[in-house]
Amino acid sequence: MKVLIIEDEKTLAYEMEVFLKKAFFICELAHTFNDGLKKLTAGLYDYILIDLGLPGGDGLELLRNAKRSNPDAAYIIITARGRLEDRVTGLDMGADDYLSKPFFLPELHSRMQAISRRKFKIEQELQSIGEFLIDLQKRFMVFQDISIELSRKEFDLVSYLFLHKNMVLTRGQLSEHIWGTFADDDYDSNYIDAHIKNIRKKLNAYAPTEWLETVRGVGYRIRKH
């Protein structure tokens, strides 16, 4: 998943980036209001972490803009401000959570996971896909008691498609949210097709994968009833 960290304290921003990358997120940084606004208008993100006290403008105004350009993202306000009004205003404007400085990085990660569970209605650790089970947080997939060996990007593809089940995702969307780059034509996105082919080959050795569908000329989806 792709995360935009808008934080003017560069040391903190880099620490967040390093920590989240180890947790398999793709991260981009912005340190000012204007830099954040540019990135928000140029790309799509799964999580947007916004500091309220930014050089060049107020984080709440940036949140307002972000909700227009990235309506499907999850938002966490991160700030040293302790005023109840700021917290309430941010939540009323659509922020999903509020984290006060200083904080521990594992808490940030836990809050992000909690948002995903609520957003995608993940009520149990193990979720079924056809005859397989997947644990999105512990990052493993099994058939009966057999562990399926997927590469990092293969697992990222399966889990992202699963979270957006029954929705057709284009190659461009998958490229942007999993690799952090946008593929705008079939040639650029061949690597996605190759990963899907490898996923099917590995899983078909255990059970059919009709649920992993190719939508010709568009992209892929996981169909789940």
Side-chain angles (χ1 to χ4, degrees):
M1 287 191 173
K2 191 176 177 185
V3 182
L4 176 59
I5 302 169
I6 309 174
E7 168 62 61
D8 68 316
E9 294 182 34
K10 292 185 179 181
T11 299
L12 174 59
Y14 294 139
E15 288 174 350
M16 293 164 64
E17 178 186 26
V18 170
F19 183 87
L20 291 176
K21 281 184 174 180
K22 289 180 180 178
F24 305 103
F25 291 95
I26 302 270
C27 297
E28 292 185 6
L29 301 182
H31 302 300
T32 68
F33 181 95
N34 288 333
D35 287 344
L37 190 59
K38 288 177 183 177
K39 287 189 176 293
L40 286 167
T41 55
L44 296 175
Y45 301 89
D46 298 290
Y47 292 91
I48 298 174
L49 315 180
I50 302 180
D51 180 22
L52 293 189
L54 293 169
D58 187 77
L60 290 175
E61 180 59 30
L62 193 59
L63 173 61
R64 185 177 290 109
N65 282 278
K67 293 292 290 184
R68 291 195 291 265
S69 60
N70 277 259
D72 297 323
Y75 293 86
I76 299 179
I77 294 174
I78 298 175
T79 182
R81 294 184 188 177
R83 295 193 308 168
L84 176 63
E85 304 94 287
D86 290 328
R87 185 162 60 251
V88 170
T89 300
L91 294 172
D92 286 346
M93 289 171 59
D96 297 276
D97 206 344
Y98 188 105
L99 194 57
S100 297
K101 299 177 185 178
F103 58 87
F104 292 104
L105 293 172
E107 181 183 2
L108 169 62
H109 186 215
S110 294
R111 287 174 182 258
M112 292 170 69
Q113 290 180 316
I115 290 170
S116 281
R117 288 194 298 270
R118 293 194 301 269
K119 181 176 181 180
F120 297 108
K121 297 178 174 62
I122 305 297
E123 298 176 354
Q124 300 176 355
E125 289 186 1
L126 287 174
Q127 299 288 312
S128 63
I129 314 179
E131 298 180 52
F132 300 87
L133 294 174
I134 187 170
D135 188 315
L136 299 173
Q137 293 189 13
K138 296 179 181 176
R139 294 180 62 85
F140 68 82
M141 193 169 184
V142 297
F143 172 74
Q144 297 177 359
D145 292 327
I146 303 170
S147 178
I148 310 298
E149 293 189 10
L150 298 177
S151 71
R152 170 180 171 175
K153 290 302 183 185
E154 288 168 356
F155 187 88
D156 288 345
L157 271 170
V158 172
S159 60
Y160 199 78
L161 285 164
F162 177 79
L163 287 174
H164 298 84
K165 52 188 174 288
N166 297 322
M167 180 186 302
V168 180
L169 298 179
T170 68
R171 291 172 177 82
Q173 288 173 310
L174 293 171
S175 178
E176 185 168 15
H177 287 275
I178 296 172
W179 276 266
T181 58
F182 184 75
D184 60 0
D185 57 39
D186 291 338
Y187 177 79
D188 285 343
S189 63
N190 282 345
Y191 60 91
I192 296 175
D193 300 331
H195 277 78
I196 293 290
K197 181 179 179 180
N198 288 338
I199 291 167
R200 285 189 173 126
K201 182 178 180 180
K202 291 179 179 181
L203 299 184
N204 282 334
Y206 300 96
T209 57
E210 292 90 351
W211 43 266
L212 178 54
E213 296 182 333
T214 300
V215 180
R216 191 174 299 276
V218 184
Y220 298 96
R221 75 176 161 201
I222 282 180
R223 176 175 44 81
K224 194 170 189 299
H225 299 297

